[in-house]
Structure formats: C-alpha cells, structure tokens
Amino acid sequence: MANESMVLFEVFIRSRRGLDHKHVGSVHAEDSEQALEYARDCYTRRSEGVSIWVVKSEDITASQEDDSESFYDPSDDKPYRHATYYKLPEAVNNM
Amino acid sequence: MSSEEKLMENFMRKIEAEEKIEPKDWMPKAYRKNLIRQISQHGHSEIIGMQPEGNWLTRAPSLRRKAVLLSKVQDEAGHGLYLYSATETLGISRAELIAALQDGSAKYASIFNYPTQTWADVGAIGWLVDGAAIVNQISLQRTSYGPYARAMVRICKEESFHVRQGYEMMIALAQGSPAQKALAQDALNRFYWPALMMFGPHDSESAHSARSMQWKIKRETNDDLRQKFVDQTVAQIEFLGLQHPDADIKWNEETGHYDGGELDWDEFYSVINGNGHCNRQRIEHHVAAHEEGAWVREAMQAYREKQRNKAHKQAA
C-alpha cells in the first residue's frame, strides 16, 4: 500500500497561548509541511488549537515503561525533595 | 500604516489582552533584547547560586542535612537549565549566554557575591534568599512571554522546599545552644539587607522597569515586591526569637505595611560593579569548572563520531 511508504508524524497542539503543546495523535504524510496540513485537517476541525508541532515519530526517543522501576529508582528514596517533608509550626507554615 | 506598525499594534493587542507571546510570534527587537537580558540573568543567578551553598556540602553537620543541601543545589542547576532553555527560544545560543556570563557583560543576582562564612548562612540563604526569589518568581508566573512564564510555574513548585528546609534549619539553631542561636542571629544580620537588594534599585532608579512593566515582562515593581518580602519576614523573625536586623522596622497603621530603614545603595552598586567579596572568585570558579569539564564534552563528541562511522560502515 502506498500509505506504508509515507512517514509517521506525531502531532502536538497548543490549545491556547501560554499553554504547553500537548500530544494529540499522529498522521501519515510525505513531508513535514503536508503533515502540518493533515494535522490541521484532522485534529483542529473545531478550533482546538492555535499552534501545531509535527515531529517525525522515529525522531522521538522514549523511556521504556517496563524499565521505569530502575529508571526512576534514584528519586524514590528522597522524600526531602518535597516541601511537605518539612513540618513547620502553624504560625509560620505559610511559606 | 506600515507593516511594522501593524505588527506592533497586533503585539500590543495581545499584551493588553493578557495573552502570552510565544517564540514564533513577531515581537519588537527591544522586547526580545530585554527578555534575553532578564531571563539569562535569572538563569545565571541560579547557576552561580550553587557556589555559596556548595561551599558547605562537604561540611554539613549530618547526613540528613547533607542530602537535603545536595538536593537543593541540584534543583538550582535544574532551574538554571529551565531558564537557559527559555532564553534559547529567543534565538540566542547556550554558548553565547555562557560567554556573556564569563566576560561579565551579563549579570547575576549580586547576593551570590557574599561569602557563606558559617553553616547558619546555609539556613539563612534558604529562608531569605530563596524566600525573596519566590516573591519575585510568583509575580513572574504572569509574565507576558510564554516560555518564561511556564518555567516560572515549574520553578515555583520546587522552590517551596528550599525555603522550608532553610527555615527549619534556622529553627533548630535558634532553639539550640546560645552559640548556635548567635550563629543564626549573625547569619540573619548579614543576609537580611542583601536579600532586600535582590529586588533591585528603587523604581525611580530602575533603568528597565518602566518599559518592562508596559510590556508586562515584569508585573509588579521592585519596591512593591520588596515591601511584600519585608512584611512577610517580620513575623518569621519574631517566631525565631531573633532580633530584627533593621532597628527602624515599624508597623504603619495607615499603609498597612511595615516601614523600614533605607538600604545601603552604595554597597549595592559596588557589589554589582564587581567589588563584592566573591565576584572574581565566582566567575573564576565557573570558568575553571567549564574548562575542567571540556574533556567530558570532547569524549562524548568522539564517541558520537565513532558510533556514526560504525553505522556508516555497516550501511555500506
């Protein structure tokens, strides 16, 4: 199928100025310009966004959820990184 | 109307409507320049700010205090990175930013040119310096430049831990032996005034304030933010049972704020202009750390090239 020779792009949309782009899905396209147009047609038919990013899926390096235990392990035993770890008397607790 | 005027009008419309300006938007050259100056200065402060506290890492009095301090210093590096990333969206490179810090053309908060003479200084810094920074950063969460505002939201979330661990340490010292209490008082005396100076010169003297307020880069004036900090700190000093470093501090019924003594502005400008206790040392240390780390960057580059050549050979 011709579709299989097309490139897979991940689509990210900024719904409103000031917010981060958020992943919404993907499209197949010949190039990034076309991917942008397809993403517009597919994901913003009801004014869902003010800005679209498309990124080739193969360019995304992702962490593996199966490895998450050892991957995130170093922060598991550091509760002192959280503000709530420090118990302050009521009179000065608003900091 | 020229096209430039139209762009400017559209830009101001967004600013007035409280919309954020995003990296690919048109923006006046001076807005971009102003942002690069302010955000990079903010980032440099985080990076140089690691040094005074890092000074005590190997001498922390317990494993718990050491782990906490290590985490805090690590956070400062992270905050520096968030801010450098936000600055890079404006079209300037990391290498240019670092060069400007090292040659002195970019500034950082002058508070970090004060030495950390005792362990109590680490507590005072968390409490007062990070406390003052938060007052400023909460306000900057509403800054008009999107990437800067988002970096501030992230930083404010993490900053509360810094203040609380500092104040907790001050409680321990203030309720400890007379010698420990004296350390706490001495640290408070030395860091209170420089912390107030972190908010910058009076509004009437501030070179960038008026336009920054108009463009909503800054949302509150130096003096208003400083007043907030003065007000919130009085009760915190009282709770510790320490003496307020400002003999003139007095509640003003009419304004609903505390009035205090005037800051030593000669000292402020002297430190900013390079004559603080540690200005030269801070930059020398940064340059040395950067140069001593060069072999790591070179090794990484060599490894990447080797991998690339390997892949190339396999393909051929």
Side-chain angles (χ1 to χ4, degrees), chain B residues 20-38:
Chain B
K20 299 296 180 204
I21 304 301
E22 294 293 349
K24 307 269 178 187
D25 292 347
W26 182 90
M27 59 188 89
K29 278 198 189 77
Y31 178 83
R32 186 183 299 274
K33 203 176 144 198
N34 207 333
L35 277 173
I36 290 175
R37 185 190 54 77
Q38 179 170 333

Side-chain angles (χ1 to χ4, degrees), chain A residues 14 17-20 78 80-83 85-89 91-93 95, chain B residues 14 19-20 22 25 64 67-68 71 74 150 160-161 164-165 167-168 236 239:
Chain A
R14 185 201 302 286
R17 285 170 170 283
L19 300 182
D20 290 306
K78 296 178 179 60
Y80 48 82
R81 280 179 176 162
H82 296 271
Y85 177 78
Y86 304 89
K87 303 281 174 252
L88 297 182
V92 287
N93 201 25
M95 61 176 82
Chain B
K14 287 181 200 157
E19 283 183 22
K20 299 296 180 204
E22 294 293 349
D25 292 347
R64 177 182 181 271
V68 168
S71 277
Q74 204 178 19
R150 291 191 287 276
S160 171
F161 138 50
R164 292 175 70 91
Q165 64 83 33
Y167 194 76
E168 187 205 49
Q236 295 166 359
F239 182 84

Side-chain angles (χ1 to χ4, degrees), chain B residues 239-289:
Chain B
F239 182 84
L240 291 172
L242 298 178
Q243 206 178 2
H244 200 293
D246 184 352
D248 297 329
I249 196 86
K250 204 172 154 228
W251 178 251
N252 184 330
E253 199 69 54
E254 234 166 82
T255 59
H257 294 288
Y258 282 93
D259 293 334
E262 191 51 72
L263 280 67
D264 182 352
W265 293 110
D266 290 340
E267 175 181 321
F268 174 77
Y269 287 109
S270 164
V271 177
I272 275 200
N273 291 325
N275 301 314
H277 283 286
C278 303
N279 296 57
R280 280 172 292 276
Q281 186 189 333
R282 297 292 184 239
I283 294 300
E284 273 166 22
H285 183 79
H286 190 277
V287 171

Side-chain angles (χ1 to χ4, degrees), chain B residues 8 11-12 15 28 30-31 144 211-217:
Chain B
M8 187 68 190
F11 169 82
M12 281 315 294
I15 297 277
Y31 178 83
S144 58
R211 192 139 73 163
S212 286
M213 292 287 289
Q214 190 205 351
W215 281 341
K216 298 187 180 172
I217 293 175

Side-chain angles (χ1 to χ4, degrees), chain B:
Chain B
M1 199 187 283
S2 74
S3 68
E4 171 104 5
E5 280 168 339
K6 257 187 217 145
L7 289 167
M8 187 68 190
E9 194 182 75
N10 190 30
F11 169 82
M12 281 315 294
R13 184 194 53 75
K14 287 181 200 157
I15 297 277
E16 306 284 326
E18 292 289 320
E19 283 183 22
K20 299 296 180 204
I21 304 301
E22 294 293 349
K24 307 269 178 187
D25 292 347
W26 182 90
M27 59 188 89
K29 278 198 189 77
Y31 178 83
R32 186 183 299 274
K33 203 176 144 198
N34 207 333
L35 277 173
I36 290 175
R37 185 190 54 77
Q38 179 170 333
I39 310 176
S40 70
Q41 184 174 316
H42 198 156
H44 295 324
S45 302
E46 303 279 358
I47 297 298
I48 295 296
M50 289 192 281
Q51 290 187 40
E53 290 181 291
N55 180 36
W56 282 92
L57 274 175
T58 57
R59 291 173 290 163
S62 71
L63 186 57
R64 177 182 181 271
R65 293 289 182 202
K66 183 174 180 163
V68 168
L69 185 56
L70 202 54
S71 277
K72 180 179 187 296
V73 171
Q74 204 178 19
D75 272 2
E76 308 301 358
H79 295 177
L81 188 64
Y82 304 163
L83 287 158
Y84 283 159
S85 301
T87 321
E88 284 170 301
T89 62
L90 292 158
I92 187 162
S93 73
R94 185 81 54 93
E96 287 171 286
L97 293 173
I98 290 174
L101 170 66
Q102 294 188 344
D103 71 20
S105 53
K107 303 271 187 239
Y108 55 88
S110 63
I111 185 90
F112 301 117
N113 291 315
Y114 290 82
T116 39
Q117 301 176 30
T118 75
W119 169 248
D121 291 4
V122 174
I125 287 178
W127 167 34
L128 298 171
V129 176
D130 288 70
I134 290 188
V135 170
N136 187 34
Q137 291 173 156
I138 285 177
S139 176
L140 285 172
Q141 290 182 107
R142 296 187 296 120
T143 188
S144 58
Y145 188 55
Y148 193 22
R150 291 191 287 276
M152 283 300 105
V153 171
R154 216 161 286 141
I155 286 177
C156 283
K157 255 187 223 157
E158 298 175 0
E159 200 85 65
S160 171
F161 138 50
H162 297 181
V163 180
R164 292 175 70 91
Q165 64 83 33
Y167 194 76
E168 187 205 49
M169 193 191 298
M170 293 302 283
I171 293 180
L173 290 168
Q175 296 177 351
S177 69
Q180 286 176 314
K181 189 168 178 180
L183 277 185
Q185 181 70 58
D186 172 58
L188 168 60
N189 292 348
R190 280 183 290 108
F191 277 93
Y192 180 75
W193 297 104
L196 295 192
M197 292 177 195
M198 286 173 67
F199 296 98
H202 281 311
D203 302 337
S204 51
E205 309 287 324
S206 178
H208 307 284
S209 267
R211 192 139 73 163
S212 286
M213 292 287 289
Q214 190 205 351
W215 281 341
K216 298 187 180 172
I217 293 175
K218 281 166 81 161
R219 303 309 309 258
E220 287 165 278
T221 69
N222 295 354
D223 286 328
D224 285 350
L225 291 166
R226 184 167 22 240
Q227 186 66 56
K228 262 188 202 174
F229 179 72
V230 166
D231 289 347
Q232 76 182 31
T233 307
V234 171
Q236 295 166 359
I237 295 175
E238 252 168 44
F239 182 84
L240 291 172
L242 298 178
Q243 206 178 2
H244 200 293
D246 184 352
D248 297 329
I249 196 86
K250 204 172 154 228
W251 178 251
N252 184 330
E253 199 69 54
E254 234 166 82
T255 59
H257 294 288
Y258 282 93
D259 293 334
E262 191 51 72
L263 280 67
D264 182 352
W265 293 110
D266 290 340
E267 175 181 321
F268 174 77
Y269 287 109
S270 164
V271 177
I272 275 200
N273 291 325
N275 301 314
H277 283 286
C278 303
N279 296 57
R280 280 172 292 276
Q281 186 189 333
R282 297 292 184 239
I283 294 300
E284 273 166 22
H285 183 79
H286 190 277
V287 171
H290 196 66
E291 283 172 2
E292 282 163 20
W295 71 271
V296 179
R297 295 188 291 275
E298 282 159 19
M300 282 166 65
Q301 197 183 349
Y303 179 74
R304 196 176 62 213
E305 268 161 34
K306 195 172 145 190
Q307 294 299 104
R308 196 182 291 148
N309 288 341
K310 233 190 212 168
H312 210 73
K313 256 184 214 156
Q314 271 168 5

